[in-house]
Amino acid sequence: MTDPWGQGAVIVTGAAGFVGMHVAERLLQRGETVIGVDDFNAYYDVALKDLRSRRLAAHPGFRMVRADIADAPAMAELVRSSGARRVVHLAAQAGVRYSIENPFAYERSNLAGHLSVLEACRHHGVEHLVYASSSSVYGDRPMDGAGFREDDPTVSPVSLYAATKRSCELISQSYAALYGFPQSGLRFFTVYGPMGRPDMAYFSFTEKIMRGEPIEVYGEGRMARDFTFIDDIVDGVVGVLDHPPARGGHEVYNIGDSSPVGLMQMITTLEAALGREAVKLMRPMQPGDVTATYADVSKLNALTGYAPRVALVEGLGRFVDWWRDWRVV
């Protein structure tokens, strides 16, 4: 029997994660009922995931389900019993370098987990699946003055993480064609902001700078990233959720700032926000890293009016303010 509490709910996988928590909160703030799914794995400090979960639990329209997305029967039962017609699938094993050390974590979470969500959706009436992909699918390519476009080649991933994300796109494309339910894939470019992931450079640099420890600057500082503030990312995710493709359609969208920033410039901006200078150890490129990322967001803009609003200096300032309060607690 379908759970009446869940009728009309949006399921958000990875709801205790960085992007997932912020997306779930935005949906709750606009009056949606949200069912979060997360397994609270120990890839990074579970206390931060608990903090995000407690923040969501303060909303009466939220319920958290602790589950592994690769558990296909559990996912199928959740989608069936909730009556949810929209799913935002953000749960995944993140991290490029970690994929070199722990490849099977990516096989389970990113591949088996994605397939599990797809099967649950196709059997139980989901009308729109929005899922997370990554800018890493573009591989290591030079910036030629133009952003990466969704129709650019994606046949040369340089990490297992990137390969799993591109595989998810292909699997989703086949499911949309075979079973008809609309899907939208989101290629996230470097996301940052309050309550972010501690393994991300801006977060780990902050911790080390404030402890007086040196930071390792990979690529000898020559890398550039399309740093995108979390509020802008959420604008894009929710906008896409509200604009499903036609039945049987599968679309992929870039979500980025469309303004790449050099790694050394990011560090200088972070130093100014912290009021401290970093001790820098220059290191070569690491396996799996790419030189630059640069999003062309014209396709997303045409669909939703998406336009990033938060510049890096403001966004890092807001992150540092949050970090100082969090560390005090």
Side-chain angles (χ1 to χ4, degrees):
M1 181 177 180
T2 299
D3 176 7
W5 187 93
Q7 289 290 341
V10 182
I11 291 175
V12 178
T13 73
F18 175 34
V19 178
M21 185 280 288
H22 284 277
V23 169
E25 187 168 61
R26 178 75 63 84
L27 293 172
L28 289 161
Q29 288 169 345
R30 72 176 195 176
E32 302 269 13
T33 298
V34 176
I35 300 172
V37 181
D38 209 291
D39 67 354
F40 291 78
N41 71 46
Y43 170 63
Y44 59 80
D45 189 357
V46 175
L48 185 52
K49 299 179 182 182
D50 288 335
L51 176 64
R52 299 184 189 123
S53 182
R54 291 195 301 272
R55 178 162 155 171
L56 292 174
H59 296 266
F62 180 76
R63 172 162 60 104
M64 179 68 83
V65 176
R66 292 194 176 222
D68 180 355
I69 58 167
D71 183 342
M75 286 304 302
E77 176 56 22
L78 174 61
V79 176
R80 184 203 66 79
S81 64
S82 70
R85 294 293 174 262
R86 292 166 295 158
V87 175
V88 183
H89 174 38
L90 302 173
Q93 179 57 62
V96 168
R97 293 172 194 149
Y98 189 72
S99 70
I100 296 172
E101 303 166 11
N102 296 276
F104 288 103
Y106 294 75
E107 175 268 338
R108 177 170 179 83
S109 183
N110 297 7
L111 297 177
H114 190 71
L115 187 59
S116 173
V117 171
L118 284 171
E119 280 288 287
C121 290
R122 74 126 167 157
H123 282 294
H124 299 293
V126 168
E127 296 169 357
H128 189 198
L129 170 64
V130 176
Y131 68 90
S133 185
S134 169
S135 63
S136 66
V137 302
Y138 292 110
D140 192 12
R141 46 167 288 186
M143 288 197 302
D144 57 5
F148 303 172
R149 294 177 58 88
E150 291 87 350
D151 56 2
D152 286 345
T154 53
V155 295
S156 301
V158 296
S159 69
L160 175 62
Y161 171 70
T164 62
K165 284 301 187 179
R166 180 58 182 143
S167 297
C168 288
E169 292 181 356
L170 294 171
I171 295 168
S172 276
Q173 182 177 329
S174 69
Y175 262 65
L178 283 169
Y179 305 116
F181 68 95
Q183 297 183 58
S184 301
L186 309 176
R187 292 176 178 169
F188 293 121
F189 287 68
T190 309
V191 189
Y192 75 100
M195 288 200 172
R197 282 182 14 222
D199 63 314
M200 297 294 287
Y202 71 95
F203 200 130
S204 65
F205 286 176
T206 295
E207 301 261 276
K208 290 179 179 180
I209 291 169
M210 296 307 288
R211 290 196 299 261
E213 299 174 2
I215 63 172
E216 294 184 307
V217 183
Y218 292 109
E220 297 174 333
R222 294 191 299 270
M223 294 192 294
R225 291 291 182 268
D226 202 352
F227 293 100
T228 313
F229 191 68
I230 183 62
D231 290 2
D232 292 327
I233 289 287
V234 174
D235 287 345
V237 175
V238 174
V240 169
L241 180 65
D242 292 342
H243 292 82
R247 178 168 176 77
H250 174 253
E251 297 290 342
V252 175
Y253 302 94
N254 290 333
I255 299 186
D257 192 71
S258 200
S259 181
V261 173
L263 181 57
M264 294 305 296
Q265 182 181 340
M266 184 276 281
I267 293 170
T268 298
T269 304
L270 182 61
E271 289 172 325
L274 292 169
R276 293 193 184 183
E277 186 174 349
V279 177
K280 306 171 189 71
L281 302 178
M282 310 308 282
R283 302 296 193 210
M285 288 281 286
Q286 296 294 290
D289 275 347
V290 299
T291 306
T293 62
Y294 182 3
D296 181 319
V297 296
S298 56
K299 182 177 178 181
L300 182 59
N301 173 266
L303 181 76
T304 69
Y306 174 81
R309 295 171 293 173
V310 182
L312 185 66
V313 63
E314 177 186 349
L316 283 179
R318 288 163 67 175
F319 165 74
V320 167
D321 288 343
W322 169 82
W323 183 87
R324 292 185 191 279
D325 289 341
W326 176 61
R327 275 306 181 206
V328 168
V329 173

